[in-house]
Amino acid sequence: MSGSMKRRAYLELHLRPDTHQIVSITRLVADVYGGLLGDADATSRVVLTVHEMLENIAKYATDPAPHFSLELGESSEGGQIRVETRNVAAAAQLARAQALIQTLNGPASPRDTYRELMTVTATEREGSGLGLARIRAEAGFHFEYQIDADCLTIVARGPVPLKERP
Amino acid sequence: VKISPSPRRAAKARFGSPFPATPILDAHVALGAFLRQLEREAAQKQVVQFTCDFRQLYFMNSACFKCFVVWINDIAGLTRELQYVVEFVTNPNMHWQRRSLENLQYFGPSIVRITA
């Protein structure tokens, strides 16, 4: 978070979550961050993002303790959510993630890109490949990414309404 | 998720849910198989509508959502007389449902019906 951004909540984990842990974490996020966010729609968008990104590290991380963090900040312009994952992955997965994020950050509308991917995936019985596109299209967050050797960092971030302080 | 068919004729099949209220990592395997079974049953029993009750569905991951994309895409590929409607009964308090299902509706505007 930048210097002008004040942290309202921060959660950091180092684990490769299993199915039940993903559900537990997303419920925790809904409870804790839901109490800080200004409306249920924002909470829903954050939960969707957290769930999909946790599933990605569960599926694709090859290191035993990948990094996950969720930060809610506040500035004079409002709230800002930042979800980060960092994990080691196979070369093919790194290339796939890079290509996908570049597409999602491209000029096409996120909804059109998502629907295009849905069309492609509709004829494939295996795999989804929709998680990040869904975040971009349905949660409205932007992506940044970095690849250092075999380590992939993905950040999803975007503005969110904050609940008024009492 | 509860899914029930509306028969074109007097089909009385009932389909139970194969997955828990919150579909998670491997649930898409069971869900995909279940929906393929529904497709076969629909063809045999001339079903005109399925109703998917999402009112208690807290979340659906993209892998499970893709199963519905495949299903709707398959229905859209049928001849018009074999196509059937898939109605999704939603919970307005679960905001992801509207966003996700509107994208699903894109695949079959005449097939996907969203009700609250």
Coordinates of all heavy atoms in Angstrom, one line a residue, chain B residues 28-64:
Chain B
H28 N -16.5 -30.1 -8.8 CA -16.9 -29.9 -10.3 C -16.9 -31.3 -11.0 O -17.6 -31.4 -12.0 CB -15.9 -28.9 -11.0 CG -14.5 -29.5 -11.1 ND1 -13.6 -29.4 -10.1 CD2 -13.9 -30.0 -12.2 CE1 -12.5 -29.9 -10.5 NE2 -12.6 -30.3 -11.8
V29 N -16.1 -32.2 -10.5 CA -16.1 -33.5 -11.1 C -17.5 -34.2 -10.9 O -18.1 -34.7 -11.9 CB -15.0 -34.4 -10.5 CG1 -15.0 -35.8 -11.1 CG2 -13.6 -33.8 -10.7
A30 N -18.0 -34.2 -9.7 CA -19.3 -34.7 -9.4 C -20.4 -33.9 -10.1 O -21.3 -34.5 -10.7 CB -19.6 -34.8 -7.9
L31 N -20.3 -32.6 -10.1 CA -21.3 -31.8 -10.7 C -21.3 -32.0 -12.2 O -22.4 -32.1 -12.8 CB -21.0 -30.3 -10.4 CG -21.9 -29.3 -11.1 CD1 -23.4 -29.5 -10.7 CD2 -21.5 -27.9 -10.7
G32 N -20.1 -32.1 -12.9 CA -20.1 -32.3 -14.3 C -20.7 -33.6 -14.7 O -21.5 -33.6 -15.7
A33 N -20.5 -34.6 -13.9 CA -21.1 -36.0 -14.2 C -22.6 -35.9 -14.0 O -23.3 -36.5 -14.8 CB -20.4 -37.0 -13.3
F34 N -23.0 -35.2 -13.0 CA -24.4 -35.1 -12.7 C -25.1 -34.3 -13.8 O -26.2 -34.8 -14.2 CB -24.5 -34.3 -11.4 CG -26.0 -34.1 -10.9 CD1 -26.8 -35.1 -10.5 CD2 -26.5 -32.8 -10.9 CE1 -28.1 -34.9 -10.2 CE2 -27.8 -32.5 -10.5 CZ -28.6 -33.6 -10.2
L35 N -24.6 -33.3 -14.3 CA -25.2 -32.5 -15.3 C -25.3 -33.3 -16.7 O -26.2 -33.2 -17.4 CB -24.6 -31.1 -15.5 CG -24.7 -30.2 -14.3 CD1 -24.0 -28.8 -14.6 CD2 -26.2 -29.9 -14.0
R36 N -24.2 -34.1 -16.9 CA -24.3 -34.9 -18.1 C -25.4 -36.0 -18.0 O -26.1 -36.3 -19.0 CB -22.9 -35.6 -18.3 CG -21.9 -34.6 -18.9 CD -20.7 -35.3 -19.4 NE -19.9 -36.0 -18.4 CZ -19.0 -35.4 -17.6 NH1 -18.8 -34.1 -17.7 NH2 -18.3 -36.0 -16.7
Q37 N -25.6 -36.5 -16.8 CA -26.7 -37.4 -16.5 C -28.0 -36.7 -16.8 O -28.9 -37.3 -17.4 CB -26.6 -37.9 -15.1 CG -27.7 -38.9 -14.8 CD -27.9 -39.1 -13.3 OE1 -27.0 -38.9 -12.5 NE2 -29.1 -39.4 -12.9
L38 N -28.1 -35.5 -16.3 CA -29.3 -34.7 -16.5 C -29.6 -34.5 -18.0 O -30.8 -34.6 -18.5 CB -29.2 -33.3 -15.9 CG -29.4 -33.2 -14.4 CD1 -29.6 -31.7 -14.0 CD2 -30.6 -34.0 -13.9
E39 N -28.5 -34.3 -18.8 CA -28.7 -34.1 -20.2 C -29.3 -35.3 -20.8 O -30.2 -35.3 -21.7 CB -27.4 -33.8 -20.9 CG -26.8 -32.4 -20.6 CD -25.6 -32.1 -21.5 OE1 -25.7 -32.1 -22.7 OE2 -24.6 -31.8 -20.9
R40 N -28.8 -36.5 -20.4 CA -29.3 -37.8 -21.0 C -30.8 -38.0 -20.6 O -31.6 -38.3 -21.4 CB -28.5 -38.9 -20.5 CG -27.1 -38.9 -21.1 CD -26.3 -40.3 -20.8 NE -26.0 -40.4 -19.4 CZ -24.9 -40.0 -18.8 NH1 -24.0 -39.4 -19.6 NH2 -24.7 -40.2 -17.6
E41 N -31.1 -37.7 -19.3 CA -32.4 -37.9 -18.8 C -33.4 -36.9 -19.5 O -34.5 -37.2 -19.8 CB -32.5 -37.6 -17.3 CG -31.7 -38.6 -16.5 CD -32.4 -39.8 -16.1 OE1 -33.6 -39.9 -16.4 OE2 -31.8 -40.7 -15.5
A42 N -32.9 -35.7 -19.7 CA -33.7 -34.7 -20.4 C -34.1 -35.1 -21.8 O -35.3 -35.0 -22.2 CB -33.0 -33.4 -20.5
A43 N -33.2 -35.7 -22.5 CA -33.5 -36.2 -23.9 C -34.5 -37.4 -23.8 O -35.4 -37.4 -24.6 CB -32.2 -36.6 -24.5
Q44 N -34.3 -38.3 -22.9 CA -35.2 -39.4 -22.8 C -36.6 -39.1 -22.4 O -37.6 -39.6 -22.8 CB -34.6 -40.5 -21.8 CG -33.4 -41.2 -22.3 CD -32.7 -42.0 -21.2 OE1 -33.2 -42.1 -20.1 NE2 -31.6 -42.6 -21.5
K45 N -36.7 -38.1 -21.4 CA -38.0 -37.8 -20.8 C -38.6 -36.6 -21.3 O -39.6 -36.1 -20.8 CB -37.8 -37.7 -19.3 CG -37.3 -39.1 -18.7 CD -37.3 -39.1 -17.2 CE -37.1 -40.5 -16.7 NZ -35.9 -40.7 -16.0
Q46 N -38.0 -36.0 -22.3 CA -38.6 -34.8 -23.0 C -38.9 -33.7 -22.0 O -40.0 -33.2 -21.9 CB -39.8 -35.2 -23.8 CG -39.5 -36.2 -24.9 CD -40.6 -36.4 -25.8 OE1 -41.7 -36.8 -25.4 NE2 -40.4 -36.1 -27.1
V47 N -37.9 -33.4 -21.2 CA -38.1 -32.4 -20.2 C -38.1 -31.0 -20.8 O -37.4 -30.8 -21.8 CB -36.9 -32.4 -19.2 CG1 -36.9 -31.2 -18.3 CG2 -36.9 -33.7 -18.4
V48 N -39.0 -30.2 -20.3 CA -39.1 -28.8 -20.9 C -38.4 -27.8 -20.0 O -38.1 -26.7 -20.5 CB -40.6 -28.4 -21.1 CG1 -41.2 -29.2 -22.2 CG2 -41.4 -28.4 -19.8
Q49 N -38.2 -28.1 -18.8 CA -37.5 -27.1 -17.9 C -36.9 -27.8 -16.7 O -37.5 -28.7 -16.1 CB -38.6 -26.1 -17.4 CG -38.0 -25.1 -16.5 CD -38.9 -24.0 -16.1 OE1 -39.7 -23.5 -16.9 NE2 -38.9 -23.6 -14.8
F50 N -35.7 -27.3 -16.4 CA -35.1 -27.7 -15.1 C -35.1 -26.4 -14.2 O -34.9 -25.3 -14.7 CB -33.7 -28.1 -15.3 CG -33.5 -29.6 -15.8 CD1 -33.3 -29.8 -17.1 CD2 -33.6 -30.6 -14.9 CE1 -33.2 -31.1 -17.6 CE2 -33.5 -31.9 -15.3 CZ -33.3 -32.2 -16.7
T51 N -35.3 -26.6 -13.0 CA -35.2 -25.5 -12.0 C -34.0 -25.8 -11.1 O -34.0 -26.8 -10.4 CB -36.5 -25.3 -11.2 OG1 -37.5 -25.0 -12.1 CG2 -36.3 -24.2 -10.2
C52 N -33.1 -24.9 -11.1 CA -31.9 -25.0 -10.2 C -32.1 -24.0 -9.1 O -32.1 -22.8 -9.3 CB -30.6 -24.6 -11.0 SG -30.3 -25.7 -12.4
D53 N -32.2 -24.5 -7.9 CA -32.5 -23.7 -6.7 C -31.1 -23.3 -6.1 O -30.5 -24.1 -5.4 CB -33.3 -24.4 -5.7 CG -33.8 -23.6 -4.6 OD1 -33.3 -22.4 -4.4 OD2 -34.7 -24.0 -3.8
F54 N -30.8 -22.0 -6.3 CA -29.5 -21.5 -5.8 C -29.7 -20.7 -4.5 O -28.7 -20.1 -4.0 CB -28.9 -20.6 -6.8 CG -28.0 -21.3 -7.9 CD1 -28.2 -22.6 -8.1 CD2 -27.1 -20.6 -8.6 CE1 -27.4 -23.3 -9.1 CE2 -26.3 -21.2 -9.6 CZ -26.5 -22.6 -9.8
R55 N -30.8 -20.7 -3.9 CA -31.1 -19.8 -2.8 C -30.2 -20.0 -1.6 O -30.0 -19.1 -0.9 CB -32.6 -19.9 -2.4 CG -33.5 -19.2 -3.4 CD -34.9 -19.4 -3.1 NE -35.3 -20.8 -3.1 CZ -36.6 -21.2 -2.9 NH1 -37.5 -20.4 -2.5 NH2 -36.8 -22.5 -3.0
Q56 N -29.7 -21.2 -1.5 CA -28.9 -21.5 -0.3 C -27.4 -21.7 -0.8 O -26.6 -22.2 0.0 CB -29.4 -22.7 0.5 CG -30.7 -22.4 1.2 CD -31.1 -23.6 2.0 OE1 -30.4 -24.0 2.9 NE2 -32.3 -24.2 1.7
L57 N -27.1 -21.4 -2.0 CA -25.8 -21.6 -2.5 C -24.9 -20.4 -2.2 O -25.0 -19.4 -2.8 CB -25.8 -21.9 -4.0 CG -24.5 -22.2 -4.6 CD1 -24.0 -23.6 -4.1 CD2 -24.6 -22.3 -6.2
Y58 N -24.1 -20.6 -1.2 CA -23.2 -19.5 -0.7 C -22.2 -19.0 -1.7 O -22.0 -17.8 -1.9 CB -22.5 -20.0 0.6 CG -21.6 -18.9 1.2 CD1 -22.1 -17.8 1.9 CD2 -20.2 -19.1 1.1 CE1 -21.3 -16.9 2.4 CE2 -19.4 -18.2 1.7 CZ -19.9 -17.1 2.3 OH -19.0 -16.2 2.9
F59 N -21.6 -20.0 -2.4 CA -20.6 -19.6 -3.4 C -20.5 -20.8 -4.4 O -20.7 -21.9 -4.1 CB -19.3 -19.3 -2.7 CG -18.2 -18.9 -3.7 CD1 -18.3 -17.6 -4.2 CD2 -17.2 -19.7 -4.1 CE1 -17.3 -17.1 -5.2 CE2 -16.2 -19.2 -5.0 CZ -16.3 -18.0 -5.5
M60 N -20.1 -20.4 -5.6 CA -19.7 -21.4 -6.6 C -18.4 -21.0 -7.3 O -18.3 -19.9 -7.8 CB -20.8 -21.6 -7.7 CG -20.5 -22.6 -8.7 SD -21.7 -22.8 -10.0 CE -23.0 -23.6 -9.1
N61 N -17.5 -21.9 -7.2 CA -16.2 -21.6 -7.8 C -16.2 -21.7 -9.4 O -17.2 -22.2 -9.9 CB -15.0 -22.5 -7.3 CG -15.2 -23.9 -7.6 OD1 -16.0 -24.3 -8.4 ND2 -14.4 -24.8 -6.9
S62 N -15.2 -21.2 -10.0 CA -15.2 -21.1 -11.5 C -15.2 -22.5 -12.1 O -15.8 -22.7 -13.2 CB -14.1 -20.3 -12.0 OG -12.8 -20.8 -11.6
A63 N -14.6 -23.5 -11.5 CA -14.7 -24.8 -12.0 C -16.1 -25.4 -12.1 O -16.5 -26.0 -13.1 CB -13.8 -25.8 -11.2
C64 N -16.8 -25.2 -11.0 CA -18.2 -25.6 -11.0 C -19.1 -24.8 -12.0 O -20.0 -25.3 -12.7 CB -18.8 -25.6 -9.6 SG -18.2 -26.9 -8.5

